[in-house]
Amino acid sequence: MSTISNPSLKIDPDGLGWLTLDDPERSVNILAEPVMVRLAELTREAAASAEAGKLRALVVCSDKESFIAGADVSAIAEVEDPATGEEAARMGQRVFSELGGLPVPTVAAIHGICLGGGTELALACDYRLASDHPKTEIGLPEVMLGILPAWGGTTRLPRLVGIQAALDMMLTGKRVSASRARRIGLVSEVFPAPIFREKAGEFARSLLEGKRPGARKPGLRNRLLDGTRPGRALVLKMARKQVLSRTGGHYPAPLKILEVVRTGLSRSVDEQLEIEARAAGVLIVSAVSKNLIHVFNLREAARKGSGVTSDAAPAPVRRLGVLGAGVMGGGIAQSAAYRGVSVRLKDIDHAAIQSGLHHAQELFDKAVQRRKLRRREAAEHMALISGGLDYAGFRGLDLVVEAIVEKLDIKKIVLRETEERVGRDCVIASNTSSLSIDAMAEALARPENFGGLHFFNPVHRMPLVEVVRGAATSDRTVSTLYAFALALGKVPVVTRDGPGFLVNRILAPYMNEAGHLLTEGASVEAIDEAALDFGMPMGPLRLTDEVGIDVGRHAGTAMSEALGDRLSPSPALVRVAETGRLGRKGGLGFYRYEKGKAAGVDPGIYTALEGAVPTQRVAFERQAIRRRLVLVMVNEAARLLDEGIVTRASDVDLAMIMGTGFPPFRGGLLRFADVTHPRVICSRLEELQGEYGDRFEPAPLVRELAQSDTSFYDRFGG
C-alpha cells in the first residue's frame, strides 16, 4: 500500500465518493509522478468499491484554493529521449482513461486554477463543474512550453467542445473563465463559490437519481463548422494559416496540435491517443521546448522573488501617487487601480489630469469589452483614481512614481518637492528610461528611499518592469519596488544604475546597427525582414518608428555621450531625425501609418535620406544582416555583466524577452549565445571588427569566455 496520502479517497454512506487532491508540500496541486501513481491506485480502489456496490458516483475535487496547476514542469524538462516522452504520455493517458472508465458517474469539481494535466483529468471525467470565483480559469497551456496536451487533452477537448473552441484554447494556451467554459460546453454547470462543494455534492447525487444535465446546443454556424467534414477542414486550414502568420513557423507545437486533431478526429479515441503520444515524444525533446521551459522557469523564479538578493521585507503599497498624467502616468495609474491600489495623479495642468484619467478609463473600457472585467467592477476600479494639481493626500502615500518629462533638472526639482510632502517611510521611484538614478538622488535628503521603476510602453501590455538600484538605494526600497511590480502582474528585473539600464542599453547598438546597414545601402525591408526571420516581433527600423524618431535621437545621443564612439549615431539615423519625421505617432517615419497602423515602407524614405545613404539599394545576404544585428546585442550584454549592471545571465534573457519580444523559442539572448558558443561569437565579432570597425570589438568578457571555453550561464548562473 502506498504511503503517499495525496490524493485521498473517502466514500460517504450513500455511495458518493470524494477523491480529494491536497498536496501537503505545495501551495498548489501538481500532478507529479508520485501523485499520478497514487491516483492510479485510488482509481483501482474506486473500481473495486463500485463493483462491490459501495461507490455509486465519484467527485474529484481539491482542498486548496485552486484545482490543479498542471504537471511537473521539471520532469518534462528532464526528458531527453522521444521514447521516454511517449511512454510518459501513455502513462498519463492510462491513468485518466481508467478514471474516465469507472462504471459510475465521475464529476470534476473545479474551483480556482485548472491547467494542463488538471484540465485533462477533468476532460476524462463524465461531467465538469466550475465555481464562479474570478480565479476559476481552465486552460491547456502546453503549447507555451513547446509541447501539446498529451494526457488525452488534444484528443478529448475537440470531441467535447468542437474544434473551433478547442483550437482557440490549445493553440494559444488561453485560459477560459467559468462562464465561458459553460458557454462552449466545457463545463456542465457553474455554481456560486461559497457553496460550491455542497452544490457539487448535490449535482453528483442527482446523477444517482437518473438526472442528467441538458446538453449544449450549438448554433447553426458551429454545427456547420464543427459537425461536417468540409467545415472542419476549413477551420483547420484557417487555423494553420493563422499559426504560421503569428509564429513564422518557428514553433512546432501548434502545428503538431493541428496535425493530431486533423488525423485523429476520424479515428477512435484509443487510436488518436496513440497519435497524441507519438507527437508528444517528438515535441518534448525539441530545442524549442527546452528553450520555452527555460523561459518558463525564468518567469517563475522572478515571480518567487529571485531578483531580490536581501531579506528586507517590502513595504505594502496600498496608496500610490503618480507624478505626471501623460500616457505613461495614466497607464501606471490604471494598472495599479486594476489591482485594487488607490491612486492619486498629480500634474501641473488640468487638461493633463483629464487626459490621464481619460486614458485610464479607456483601458478599463477595453477590459470590459474583452470580458476581463464586468462594467460594475471597472467602475469600482476607476473610482480608485483621483487627480489634482497639488500634493493633497501625499502625506499618506506608500509609494510615489515620477513619470514627468525626461529632463534631469526638472525631475530633481519635482522629486525634492515630493520628498518634502510625503511621509519619511514613503518610497519614491522614477519611471525614467534614460536618466541617471544616482544623479536624481543627489537632490534628495533620503536617497535610500529612492530607486528606478521603469515601465515599458504601453504599460497595460508590456510585462517587464526594470527595478533600478542606485548607489544609495536601500534593500527595503528594492524589495518594495519589486513586490509592487509583482502585485501589478508584471515581471520585474533588478538592475544597477547605468546608461539605458538593461534593455535600452542592449537595444541601442541593435537599432544603431540597423542605421549603419541603411547607410551602407541595405533596404528598410531587407533589414527588418532579417530581424523578423530571426524571430523578433518587429524589425529595428519599425521599432524606431514605434519608439519615436525624436525619442530615439535623444536616447542615441545620450548613449553615445555616455558609452563612447561605438554608439555614435549612424548617419542614416541622424539624417532621418533631421527630416522632422516622428515615426508612428506622426504618421510618417521609415514606414507610412494610416490610423496608427503601418501601411508599408514609405517610398520616399530614401529621397528623404539623400546624402546619408546611397542612391541605389545594395543587396545584403539576410544572414549577414542578422549576424550584425544580433552580435552587437550579445556584445553589449557581455559588457553589462562585466560592469555589474546585472549579475545573472538569466536577468538579461528575461528582460530581453519580456521587454523587447526577443524570440522565446531561442531561450533568450545569452542562451542563444551559449548555444552558438562564445568562441564562435568572439570569432565572428573579430571578423566584423576587421571589416566594419571597432564598434564590433569583442567585449573583454566575450574574449575571456571564448579563451576559457566557458558559457555565459556557466559563469553567471541563472
Side-chain angles (χ1 to χ4, degrees):
M1 187 70 180
S2 173
T3 58
I4 301 293
S5 60
N6 173 52
S8 61
L9 175 63
K10 293 182 179 179
I11 302 176
D12 293 348
D14 57 3
L16 178 58
W18 295 86
L19 197 161
T20 306
L21 291 106
D22 187 8
D23 191 330
E25 298 179 359
R26 304 180 196 249
S27 59
V28 294
N29 291 314
I30 298 292
L31 296 177
E33 184 177 2
V35 177
M36 294 295 285
V37 170
R38 176 66 173 160
L39 181 60
E41 291 175 354
L42 293 182
T43 300
R44 290 191 289 271
E45 184 180 325
S49 296
E51 188 175 342
K54 297 179 181 179
L55 177 69
R56 300 173 61 211
L58 180 69
V59 179
V60 183
C61 61
S62 167
D63 265 354
K64 296 186 182 296
E65 288 302 307
S66 59
F67 186 61
I68 301 171
D72 185 353
V73 175
S74 62
I76 297 171
E78 291 172 0
V79 177
E80 298 291 346
D81 176 45
T84 303
E86 284 188 37
E87 184 49 40
R90 293 190 185 99
M91 178 276 294
Q93 291 173 352
R94 283 195 298 271
V95 173
F96 291 167
S97 292
E98 289 172 6
L99 176 65
L102 287 173
V104 297
T106 52
V107 180
I110 303 167
H111 170 71
I113 288 294
C114 175
L115 299 176
T119 300
E120 293 179 290
L121 183 154
L123 288 168
C125 294
D126 298 316
Y127 304 96
R128 286 146 300 282
L129 311 174
S131 81
D132 66 355
H133 195 281
K135 291 185 178 180
T136 297
E137 293 182 315
I138 305 172
L140 289 169
E142 285 85 351
V143 71
M144 300 170 73
L145 299 179
I147 55 178
L148 83 172
W151 285 351
T154 313
T155 297
R156 292 191 175 95
L157 185 63
R159 285 173 160 80
L160 178 66
V161 303
I163 62 172
Q164 293 178 90
L167 292 178
D168 187 46
M169 291 179 65
M170 293 191 295
L171 296 178
T172 64
K174 185 187 300 182
R175 303 176 185 183
V176 297
S177 65
S179 58
R180 170 68 176 162
R182 178 70 180 89
R183 285 196 299 273
I184 66 175
L186 178 53
V187 302
S188 300
E189 299 288 351
V190 177
F191 294 126
I195 54 173
F196 180 64
R197 182 67 69 93
E198 294 87 338
K199 284 292 185 181
E202 290 176 12
F203 179 91
R205 288 184 177 89
S206 73
L207 297 175
L208 302 180
E209 299 169 3
K211 296 180 181 179
R212 297 291 185 269
R216 176 180 68 106
K217 294 182 179 180
L220 176 61
R221 180 177 182 276
N222 286 344
R223 290 202 303 273
L224 290 173
L225 292 175
D226 288 334
T228 67
R229 183 175 295 178
R232 291 192 293 269
L234 178 62
V235 171
L236 289 165
K237 180 181 179 181
M238 295 304 296
R240 180 180 174 83
K241 183 178 179 181
Q242 291 171 0
V243 164
L244 291 174
S245 174
R246 187 175 69 249
T247 69
H250 292 299
Y251 296 82
L255 297 175
K256 269 296 182 195
I257 289 170
L258 289 171
E259 181 185 326
V260 172
V261 171
R262 179 181 59 79
T263 58
L265 276 178
S266 59
R267 313 284 182 91
S268 68
V269 169
D270 287 343
E271 287 174 325
Q272 188 172 2
L273 287 173
E274 180 57 27
I275 295 170
E276 183 182 282
R278 289 198 299 268
V282 172
L283 291 174
I284 202 169
V285 298
S286 69
V288 169
S289 177
K290 300 308 181 190
N291 284 336
L292 292 177
I293 290 173
H294 169 71
V295 174
F296 170 83
N297 288 333
L298 295 185
R299 290 198 65 169
E300 285 296 290
R303 185 178 62 81
K304 294 174 182 176
S306 66
V308 178
T309 56
S310 76
D311 295 329
V317 177
R318 302 183 184 91
R319 292 162 296 181
L320 171 71
V322 178
L323 304 173
V327 171
M328 288 297 293
I332 294 168
Q334 188 269 345
S335 293
Y338 190 96
R339 302 288 175 161
V341 177
S342 175
V343 185
R344 179 70 174 177
L345 271 173
K346 182 194 178 301
D347 209 298
I348 59 174
D349 182 72
H350 277 295
I353 294 290
Q354 290 302 314
S355 176
L357 293 172
H358 179 69
H359 180 57
Q361 183 65 66
E362 282 184 329
L363 294 176
F364 279 124
D365 289 342
K366 289 178 181 177
V368 172
Q369 292 168 10
R370 294 193 304 270
R371 297 183 177 178
K372 296 290 185 181
L373 288 174
R374 297 184 178 92
R375 178 65 61 184
R376 174 182 54 79
E377 293 171 330
E380 290 172 352
H381 289 306
M382 186 63 202
L384 293 172
I385 308 175
S386 63
L389 305 185
D390 57 24
Y391 288 96
F394 268 56
R395 186 66 62 184
L397 297 180
D398 303 305
L399 170 65
V400 175
V401 177
E402 170 271 309
I404 64 173
V405 63
E406 286 284 273
K407 293 186 177 180
L408 182 60
D409 54 346
I410 296 177
K411 285 184 183 288
K412 282 185 171 183
I413 293 170
V414 170
L415 290 169
R416 187 183 304 114
E417 285 181 354
T418 302
E419 186 184 49
E420 292 170 354
R421 289 164 173 81
V422 299
R424 291 193 59 82
D425 292 331
C426 180
V427 172
I428 302 175
S430 175
N431 181 55
T432 183
S433 62
S434 60
L435 299 178
S436 169
I437 294 298
D438 288 339
M440 283 183 261
E442 293 171 359
L444 300 175
R446 298 186 294 276
E448 66 276 9
N449 289 350
F450 177 67
L453 196 66
H454 178 211
F455 291 85
F456 287 72
N457 193 32
V459 175
H460 67 289
R461 288 183 184 168
M462 297 297 289
L464 180 68
V465 173
E466 290 178 326
V467 175
V468 187
R469 178 193 284 273
T473 307
S474 71
D475 289 342
R476 171 184 174 272
T477 295
V478 171
S479 294
T480 298
L481 296 177
Y482 194 99
F484 177 66
L486 285 177
L488 298 189
K490 301 297 184 182
V491 179
V493 171
V494 178
T495 85
R496 293 280 182 178
D497 189 24
F501 309 134
L502 195 168
V503 167
N504 287 341
R505 169 80 177 267
I506 294 175
L507 278 182
Y510 167 74
M511 297 166 75
N512 199 38
E513 193 58 32
H516 282 298
L517 284 158
L518 197 60
T519 301
E520 294 165 26
S523 68
V524 173
E525 294 93 336
I527 296 166
D528 279 2
E529 285 171 8
L532 291 171
D533 185 58
F534 180 71
M536 298 296 284
M538 65 176 65
L541 297 176
R542 173 72 196 286
L543 179 60
T544 300
D545 276 0
E546 288 291 320
V547 170
I549 291 172
D550 55 334
V551 174
R553 181 182 188 180
H554 172 75
T557 300
M559 294 291 277
S560 177
E561 291 173 353
L563 299 173
D565 291 344
R566 74 171 188 278
L567 283 178
S568 293
S570 64
L573 294 187
V574 172
R575 182 72 190 95
V576 76
E578 292 172 348
T579 67
R581 295 176 180 229
L582 297 177
R584 185 173 66 85
K585 63 186 177 185
L588 190 64
F590 293 102
Y591 292 76
R592 292 178 294 109
Y593 297 85
E594 297 174 2
K595 297 181 180 179
K597 295 184 178 180
V601 173
D602 174 37
I605 185 62
Y606 305 113
T607 301
L609 296 177
E610 188 175 357
V613 303
T615 55
Q616 298 294 322
R617 298 304 97 221
V618 177
F620 280 76
E621 290 185 4
R622 185 168 293 187
Q623 177 69 17
I625 294 174
R626 172 183 130 168
R627 182 170 293 177
R628 287 171 61 174
L629 294 176
V630 175
L631 288 182
V632 292
M633 289 195 287
V634 174
N635 214 24
E636 203 63 38
R639 290 189 173 93
L640 280 169
L641 287 168
D642 223 6
E643 295 168 14
I645 299 298
V646 289
T647 59
R648 302 181 304 176
S650 59
D651 291 333
V652 172
D653 285 352
L654 186 63
M656 290 299 291
I657 291 168
M658 296 294 117
T660 74
F662 188 89
F665 71 88
R666 296 192 184 277
L669 178 65
L670 295 183
R671 186 170 170 102
F672 169 78
D674 280 350
V675 169
T676 306
H677 201 286
R679 284 196 313 272
V680 177
I681 298 289
C682 187
S683 175
R684 289 175 177 170
L685 284 169
E686 288 173 340
E687 291 172 7
L688 291 170
Q689 181 184 9
E691 189 170 356
Y692 297 105
D694 287 344
R695 69 177 183 274
F696 284 103
E697 180 182 7
L701 178 59
V702 171
R703 290 192 189 279
E704 183 184 337
L705 295 178
Q707 291 166 3
S708 61
D709 196 26
T710 307
S711 72
F712 284 100
Y713 270 82
D714 284 341
R715 178 68 63 84
F716 292 94

